[in-house]
Amino acid sequence: MLHGKHLIAGQWVAGDKTFPNSPATGEASEFAVGTPEHVASAAMAAEDAFWTYGYSSREERAAFLERIADEIDARGDEITKVGSAETGLPEVRLEGERGRTTGQLKLFASHIRKGDYLDRRHDAALPDRQPLPRPDLRMIQRPIGPVAVFGASNFPLAFSTAGGDTAAALAAGCPVVVKGHSAHPGTGELVAQAIDAAIKALGLHPGTFSLIQGGTRETGQALVQHPLIKAVGFTGSLAGGRALFDLCSSRPDPIPFFGELGSVNPMFLLPSALKSRGKQIAGGWSGSLTMGAGQFCTNPGIAVVIDSAEADAFVAEAKAALACVDAQTMLTDGIAEAYRAGRDRIAEGSGVREVLTSTCDLRNATPYLFEVSGHDWLNNEELGEEVFGPLGLIVRAADEGQMIALAQSLQGQLTVTLHVDDADHALAARLMPIIERKAGRVLANGYPTGVEVCDAMVHGGPYPASTNFGATSVGTLSIRRFLRPVCYQNMPGALLPDDLQ
């Protein structure tokens, strides 16, 4: 059952105003609008919870993460039903995303049980060292305090209420205040119910987790500026993320803003690979480009080729593959409008030629394909900006030198892909030092959609892909975002944290 309310410190709280969701199918429901007052209540409860949750054992936190996963699965059918109605995503996609979400919680539980993430270090005292003795020094990672998380529009489960940022913060020992996304408030509430049930079952402080629904920009601003919030996790647009990042930086006590903001995820098709596998690559690219209506942060929107007869064949094959893709429902009306605006921006760029055009309206998206010369690309920075949806742009470089110049011109990316055969290794070796400075994940002979949740994954990159190039929002390393190192000098053993005993 949906309450349509906020969950604040274990209580379902109404508001003076409500907003309707905008489901792709079915009747709309009303949800309470979040306010700065709700933010203050949730932040104060989170700070109060930190004095117990922040000092809980790794085993207690691991059990909590696993219980959340179980409670989500227990509500799986309802979550899928509501999520599909709100977003238009197929049920099978949401079931897979739920599995990723619960699997991530269980992975983090296993990871913190091992304790390696604490990076414990000990330099024993050297009392007889000359000319000065060395004290006993011990270091460990400690949780930073309450964390704010902004739900993402395109992943109602994996990057929202109990998604990667929330799971990482809870694993680290940080209470969480989530600002739910207005695209899927019902889905967010059902997941919040699961977390609340886990808190009650394990007897944790109710302020360990709160969900504030929807709200105005004022609510989001109040959340990142509340003095008890010590870090922010965000997945969303460049404009919205940059505004919140600036607010975090301008606080009297600036805090880290871990924002994943956008990427065009370029692919470089090197000559031998293009000649031998161009048709296969075109088919794989069209599938990756249009998966989920192109609403993935790793959607490969750019393909770079060297102008040639093989490039002509690649363009023709990509056009044919994309022409077979039917219209798909986008997550919200606003996202659909932004997609069409991005299409128009690309189409109006100097030197841009239409390869495949189609018609989409309302909340639907159909593929578009354009091409441009490397010269015109290098003279128009707007062509390198993300279009959120199934739109592809092929950039024809004049030669290897211009392909390298195109790589050097890129802004920060989540991913960069090389399609390479053995005969391409010399050119690939020239590109590698460039693209590894541009992206958090570098792929060979694959497609970047699909982010594995594991120890080695990096989902982040130089700005504007993310606001903190030294962090990842996916994988076990993401937990470290919400920890800080503390050194204890000559501290009596009885006063050390349990994990340093």
Side-chain angles (χ1 to χ4, degrees), residues 152-355:
S153 64
N154 58 334
F155 282 91
L157 299 175
F159 280 89
S160 291
T161 309
D165 290 341
T166 297
L170 293 176
C174 299
V176 173
V177 179
V178 170
K179 181 181 181 292
H181 200 286
S182 57
H184 41 74
T187 311
E189 183 188 319
L190 290 173
V191 176
Q193 290 180 20
I195 300 174
D196 185 47
I199 288 173
K200 288 179 167 61
L202 298 178
L204 301 181
H205 190 294
T208 301
F209 174 85
S210 292
L211 168 70
I212 300 172
Q213 289 283 20
T216 62
R217 289 183 179 179
E218 183 185 19
T219 305
Q221 292 170 357
L223 184 56
V224 302
Q225 291 185 302
H226 197 284
L228 295 177
I229 296 297
K230 298 305 179 186
V232 178
F234 174 90
T235 300
S237 69
L238 174 59
R242 182 54 195 254
L244 294 174
F245 172 79
D246 290 343
L247 287 175
C248 288
S249 300
S250 65
R251 284 175 41 146
D253 57 331
I255 59 172
F257 179 85
F258 299 104
E260 190 249 283
L261 307 182
S263 179
V264 295
N265 306 293
M267 303 190 315
F268 289 81
L269 283 64
L270 276 57
S272 180
L274 181 63
K275 183 177 182 178
S276 64
R277 297 183 285 114
K279 181 176 181 179
Q280 176 186 344
I281 295 170
W285 181 41
S286 68
S288 182
L289 185 68
T290 59
M291 183 185 299
Q295 298 169 117
F296 288 88
C297 44
T298 53
N299 183 34
I302 305 292
V304 182
V305 298
I306 294 177
D307 200 14
S308 61
E310 290 78 16
D312 294 340
F314 172 78
V315 172
E317 189 64 34
K319 176 181 179 180
L322 290 171
C324 297
V325 178
D326 293 331
Q328 300 177 72
T329 302
M330 301 200 84
L331 292 159
T332 68
D333 294 327
I335 288 174
E337 291 174 6
Y339 173 59
R340 290 190 286 272
R343 170 203 63 192
D344 295 342
R345 171 173 56 79
I346 296 297
E348 294 166 3
S350 177
V352 174
R353 299 177 294 279
E354 289 185 350
V355 176

Side-chain angles (χ1 to χ4, degrees), residues 96 121 215 224 249 264 270 323 373 381 435 486:
R121 306 183 185 199
V224 302
S249 300
V264 295
L270 276 57
S373 71
E381 291 184 359
I435 63 177
V486 177

Side-chain angles (χ1 to χ4, degrees), residues 25-83:
T25 59
E27 298 291 329
S29 300
E30 293 290 326
F31 295 86
V33 173
T35 67
E37 290 73 25
H38 292 129
V39 167
S41 297
M44 287 187 288
E47 174 68 12
D48 193 43
F50 182 69
W51 296 111
T52 52
Y53 188 72
Y55 297 86
S56 59
S57 70
R58 286 181 282 120
E59 178 56 38
E60 288 171 326
R61 296 198 300 279
F64 178 39
L65 295 174
E66 290 170 339
R67 184 60 182 259
I68 294 172
D70 291 342
E71 295 288 351
I72 289 173
D73 280 337
R75 295 161 175 78
D77 290 345
E78 189 175 5
I79 288 172
T80 297
K81 179 182 177 181
V82 172

Side-chain angles (χ1 to χ4, degrees), residues 268 400-401 403-411 416 427-439 442 462:
F268 289 81
E400 290 185 4
M403 178 175 274
I404 290 171
L406 290 166
Q408 291 171 329
S409 74
L410 292 171
Q411 293 184 306
V416 174
L427 176 55
R430 296 172 65 192
L431 285 165
M432 282 295 292
I434 301 169
I435 63 177
E436 71 178 14
R437 293 185 66 186
K438 300 291 185 176
V442 180

